[in-house]
Amino acid sequence: MNIRQRCIFSFEDAMKMQPKSRIEKIIDTLDFKPVIAKLHQPDG
């Protein structure tokens, strides 16, 4: 028999409550705009 329990808060809310890890802080400082621009260029 399974008992369903309601969520107290969403996964997104839980993630907001967690302190940022070192890798998240590093990724937040990176500028990916040049990489994304290269990926969107048409071939040829």
Side-chain angles (χ1 to χ4, degrees):
M1 182 169 147
N2 293 332
I3 299 173
R4 297 210 95 184
Q5 182 177 351
R6 290 186 181 201
C7 294
I8 298 172
F9 42 78
S10 69
F11 177 75
E12 290 81 14
D13 290 339
M15 292 306 295
K16 289 176 190 173
M17 290 183 226
Q18 298 294 322
K20 286 192 173 186
S21 67
R22 287 185 204 163
I23 191 72
E24 286 176 307
K25 289 178 183 178
I26 292 169
I27 291 173
D28 284 347
T29 62
L30 298 176
D31 182 14
F32 290 105
K33 290 176 189 171
V35 176
I36 293 170
K38 286 284 186 187
L39 292 174
H40 286 286
Q41 287 181 350
D43 292 335

